Amino acid sequence: MMRYLKWFHNKCALTTVPDHNLIDRLEKSGVERLAYLGRGADTRLFDPKKRSQKLRASWGADENTPVAIYVGRAAAEKKIPLALESWQQARETCPELKMIVVGDGPVLKKLERKWPEAQFAGMRFDEDLAAHYASADIFVFGSESETFGNVVIEALASGLAVVTCDYAAGHQFIVHGENGYLSPLGDEEAFRQLVSEVVSTHLNLKTV
């Protein structure tokens, strides 16, 4: 596959890449003429003001109930079980913590069967998606397969305390302990522990 990708991209005048680390990886694989192209979130759409008490009530959450959320494709490479395991572990000290999963994909039915106490909202778009983000409190995203990870900056723009890996968008945009929380890449136990710590002691952190 890499041989084909290198052949294809090296016939292009330019290939734009959203992450400097990915540029390094592609250059080492022989891909030529790479340039960094930054990304951002639509802050008119993704905004803390989109928080909906009506939506939270449909989740069984009042204004004081903590809510964790995952947004993204329901695919094996997204490591959604890690997010759900982290939620379960955090519930040991915060049993009222809710978990919302937004997205669809090939492993959705399997996830629904294994974690019946989580709430699966399916695909959401535009204002509805923005309301789902803003109506939660903590964004839990353990994927390590992103070329960038738009959902991370959408969650930041929505005012959530974001827990993700020190990688891609998280590495670019989050200063650990200031506007979010970063877990070492590849350390699942550290990720689960970090989610528990954020829920129990740091959940009041909000992004600007």
Side-chain angles (χ1 to χ4, degrees):
M1 180 62 74
M2 194 62 220
R3 183 185 300 174
Y4 169 77
L5 290 173
K6 183 169 67 173
W7 170 84
F8 178 86
H9 285 283
N10 286 349
K11 288 183 175 295
C12 299
L14 183 71
T15 296
T16 60
V17 182
D19 181 71
H20 290 292
N21 290 329
L22 184 55
I23 289 179
D24 293 339
R25 288 164 52 196
L26 291 173
E27 284 180 339
K28 289 176 182 177
S29 296
V31 180
E32 303 168 353
R33 293 179 295 283
L34 300 166
Y36 173 72
L37 179 64
R39 294 186 182 178
D42 182 350
T43 55
R44 291 172 297 180
L45 177 62
F46 300 105
D47 187 319
K49 294 177 183 176
K50 303 294 177 66
R51 191 174 180 88
S52 167
Q53 294 302 329
K54 181 178 179 181
L55 180 56
R56 286 176 60 84
S58 74
W59 299 337
D62 61 26
E63 61 182 12
N64 297 313
T65 306
V67 177
I69 192 168
Y70 163 90
V71 178
R73 179 167 163 77
E77 69 272 12
K78 298 295 186 179
K79 300 185 76 169
I80 303 173
L82 177 59
L84 291 164
E85 291 163 6
S86 300
W87 161 65
Q88 284 189 321
Q89 182 170 311
R91 291 178 74 201
E92 294 175 6
T93 55
C94 184
E96 67 272 24
L97 179 67
K98 304 291 184 181
M99 182 72 202
I100 312 300
V101 176
V102 176
D104 199 357
V107 302
L108 180 62
K109 295 300 182 184
K110 181 179 179 180
L111 295 172
E112 288 176 330
R113 289 193 297 270
K114 188 169 182 179
W115 282 279
E117 294 183 38
Q119 300 184 51
F120 295 84
M123 291 291 291
R124 299 288 165 165
F125 302 94
D126 303 323
E127 292 289 340
D128 188 22
L129 175 60
H132 275 70
Y133 273 117
S135 299
D137 301 293
I138 176 174
F139 183 71
V140 183
F141 192 69
S143 173
E144 298 178 355
S145 62
E146 307 301 305
T147 52
F148 180 74
N150 288 317
V151 292
V152 169
I153 56 174
E154 290 170 357
L156 287 170
S158 300
L160 303 188
V162 175
V163 181
T164 189
C165 297
D166 190 3
Y167 168 72
H171 181 77
Q172 287 187 42
F173 286 91
I174 291 177
V175 177
H176 182 76
E178 293 187 17
N179 68 333
Y181 299 92
L182 296 172
S183 177
L185 193 64
D187 191 337
E188 293 190 357
E189 181 54 39
F191 186 89
R192 287 188 286 266
Q193 184 59 38
L194 182 58
V195 172
S196 293
E197 291 174 4
V198 172
V199 169
S200 62
T201 63
H202 299 288
L203 197 53
N204 288 330
L205 179 147
K206 295 295 180 181
T207 58
V208 177

